[in-house]
Amino acid sequence: MHAGDRPQSRRTPLAWAGGLTALLFAGAAWPVAPLRDAATGAAADGHLRLSPAFVAFAPLNNTLDALSLLSVREHEAVWLLLVAIYIGWRIRRRARAAAPTSRRQELSVTAIALGCLVVVYAGGALVPRPMAALALPAQDSDLVTIDFHSHTDASHDGRPGFTAARNRAWHAAAGFDVAYISDHFTFAGAEVGTRGNATRAGDGTVLLSAIECLEGGEHVNLLGVTAADYEMFNGRYLAARAVEAVIAAGRTRPVIVQTIPGTLGQLPKPGMLGVVPVTAIELSDAAPRGLSDGDRNRTRILALADSLGLALVSGSDNHGWGRTAAAWSVMRVPGWRALPPERLEQHIEDGIRTQGRHAVQVIERTRPQWPTRAAAARPGGWRADAIGAPRFLVQFIWQLAATRSWSERASWLVWTWSIAVLVAVRRAPRGRPTPA
């Protein structure tokens, strides 16, 4: 071993802790609002309600939340950053080693590193943990938070065991007052969920019935439909003639939500033959592909909503994986807490039909977005990635520090310095050998 190796390695964890401390205090000096209006980008009213357990393990929870809010391309950028850090670490390690490491040793270390990455992602998807919940201004009790797109294990791609009861618990932990269960081509999960609702809407998270089906080649969610409405469908497809027939017979026109990702050029709209026009469109969908599509097409989605009078909504698209809510749809329904769930459902859907573009505010977690010009470039192009990745990674790291509350920062500092001091102590010389 070269002279000076051990003192240098002993200083390294303390230097990392000092750098992270500086970043956290810089984030406190120039904070970024953790919540924003998804349509305007302005800071939104309300705050994130964090449990003591969430704050106690803030470094873990903040990191898993940040990873859960990434689009597909952004995940790729984070992986590339981790690969670069790993390669730099191994090169530096080999340069300072007294003897070169063998190929077998390097393969073992690489396997361990990959295993750690898999454990982090799997843990974020599978392991129960505290959630950050939306808390709206307490003085405005007429605001109701809604998820217009969620699933149970009745969907073919739902997580096994993610029952309607667990769907309700997930939404309650995230601060939702209402969630629509929109399983793929089945009402089984919604039927169980609605039977479990409290008598008054304000006495617990309300689950409402919906379904995800195909309309004009696009995935859409129909709100307020049940198994009694199967006559409106032709297999997995919404049957336009059947819908018009039941409306003519006196049924209220169902609210139809365009989900993302999707082909916006095929959006079912007035004047198109053989389709039922949509009433609303997702501005935020929390699946990685949905986040990608929302970032890439946000300007176009807003333009469509303005020109067609569509309500902008958000959907968790939760299939039972993860513990992070990306966005909440907020509506004003006077006295909703005292209403029975069926009446609340009617008010929500009537509000979307009558108020259109102005019916809903989407509040989303602040998250980095791939630079617009790079996002508009050909997907996967190396030039777009080379331009966009560094700028995104700077945003990612900065927002991780700048959107924290003081309690979270305190937790980060305690964990950071405790680990740094422990590592430095373990690396300290154990004492000089006794002379012969």
Side-chain angles (χ1 to χ4, degrees):
M1 183 177 293
H2 299 294
D5 278 358
R6 186 170 296 275
Q8 176 63 29
S9 64
R10 199 171 129 198
R11 288 195 298 268
T12 299
L14 300 179
W16 277 103
L20 183 55
T21 299
L23 180 63
L24 289 168
F25 277 102
W30 295 280
V32 175
L35 296 170
R36 65 189 179 196
D37 185 303
T40 66
D45 290 336
H47 64 276
L48 290 175
R49 185 175 65 249
L50 307 177
S51 68
F54 187 103
V55 173
F57 297 94
L60 174 64
N61 289 312
N62 294 154
T63 301
L64 293 178
D65 277 1
L67 291 175
S68 299
L69 296 172
L70 298 181
S71 67
V72 174
R73 177 176 275 185
E74 291 163 354
H75 278 291
E76 294 171 352
V78 169
W79 297 339
L80 289 174
L81 174 64
L82 293 176
V83 168
I85 292 173
Y86 175 80
I87 292 174
W89 170 58
R90 294 312 298 168
I91 290 175
R92 182 173 181 272
R93 184 86 172 185
R94 293 190 67 176
R96 299 182 59 219
T101 54
S102 67
R103 180 176 299 179
R104 183 175 180 178
Q105 289 174 315
E106 288 296 336
L107 289 175
S108 297
V109 175
T110 301
I112 292 172
L114 288 174
C116 290
L117 182 61
V118 170
V119 167
V120 169
Y121 270 84
L126 299 173
V127 177
R129 62 181 181 88
M131 295 182 69
L134 175 65
L136 294 172
Q139 66 272 19
D140 199 341
S141 61
D142 290 337
L143 296 179
V144 55
T145 54
I146 309 162
D147 181 5
F148 285 97
H149 185 178
S150 73
H151 296 264
T152 68
D153 56 4
S155 285
H156 67 274
D157 53 355
R159 179 179 176 179
F162 190 64
T163 61
R166 290 184 176 178
N167 178 294
R168 191 192 306 274
W170 187 95
H171 282 96
F176 286 99
D177 301 309
V178 176
Y180 281 86
I181 295 181
S182 52
D183 284 319
H184 297 283
F185 322 121
T186 178
F187 292 105
E191 288 178 335
V192 176
T194 54
R195 286 199 299 267
N197 287 332
T199 304
R200 296 171 68 256
D203 291 340
T205 298
V206 172
L207 298 182
L208 299 177
S209 181
I211 194 169
E212 183 170 347
C213 63
L214 294 171
E215 160 72 351
E218 293 297 300
H219 281 261
V220 298
N221 285 345
L222 266 71
L223 310 184
V225 292
T226 67
D229 297 301
Y230 267 127
E231 61 185 309
M232 294 193 296
F233 301 91
N234 180 13
R236 299 185 304 166
Y237 290 82
L238 184 64
R241 289 185 180 180
V243 173
E244 296 303 331
V246 298
I247 292 173
R251 191 201 189 283
T252 304
R253 182 178 293 274
V255 171
I256 304 178
V257 180
Q258 170 71 47
T259 65
I260 57 175
T263 306
L264 295 181
Q266 298 179 7
L267 177 82
K269 54 189 175 183
M272 294 177 65
L273 296 177
V275 299
V276 183
V278 300
T279 324
I281 185 171
E282 285 185 341
L283 183 60
S284 173
D285 181 288
R289 289 179 61 241
L291 293 172
S292 296
D293 202 61
D295 291 348
R296 183 171 55 251
N297 292 317
R298 180 155 300 199
T299 300
R300 191 176 177 189
I301 291 171
L302 292 172
L304 282 169
D306 289 336
S307 62
L308 299 175
L310 304 178
L312 292 168
V313 302
S314 63
S316 68
D317 201 6
N318 183 30
H319 288 66
W321 313 100
R323 299 284 292 175
T324 305
W328 298 258
S329 297
V330 180
M331 295 183 69
R332 182 176 297 280
V333 180
W336 70 267
R337 298 175 190 276
L339 297 175
E342 298 79 10
R343 289 290 307 281
L344 175 58
E345 177 182 32
Q346 181 182 347
H347 279 285
I348 291 171
E349 292 163 19
D350 284 347
I352 291 176
R353 294 187 192 98
T354 58
Q355 299 176 43
R357 175 66 174 83
H358 305 289
V360 183
Q361 179 192 20
V362 176
I363 295 177
E364 66 179 358
R365 296 279 296 270
T366 298
R367 44 177 290 270
Q369 293 179 334
W370 202 268
T372 303
R373 290 184 181 180
R378 179 175 60 86
W382 68 267
R383 188 171 300 176
D385 290 341
I387 295 172
R391 294 170 60 186
F392 156 73
L393 291 169
V394 169
Q395 285 187 57
F396 177 76
I397 295 171
W398 174 247
Q399 288 187 9
L400 191 58
T403 57
R404 305 278 68 83
S405 66
W406 274 109
S407 59
E408 290 172 288
R409 289 191 181 94
S411 179
W412 274 85
L413 292 172
V414 169
W415 280 101
T416 297
W417 283 100
S418 297
I419 294 172
V421 170
L422 178 63
V423 173
V425 169
R426 288 178 61 87
R427 290 183 177 182
R430 298 299 180 184
R432 300 181 181 279
T434 303

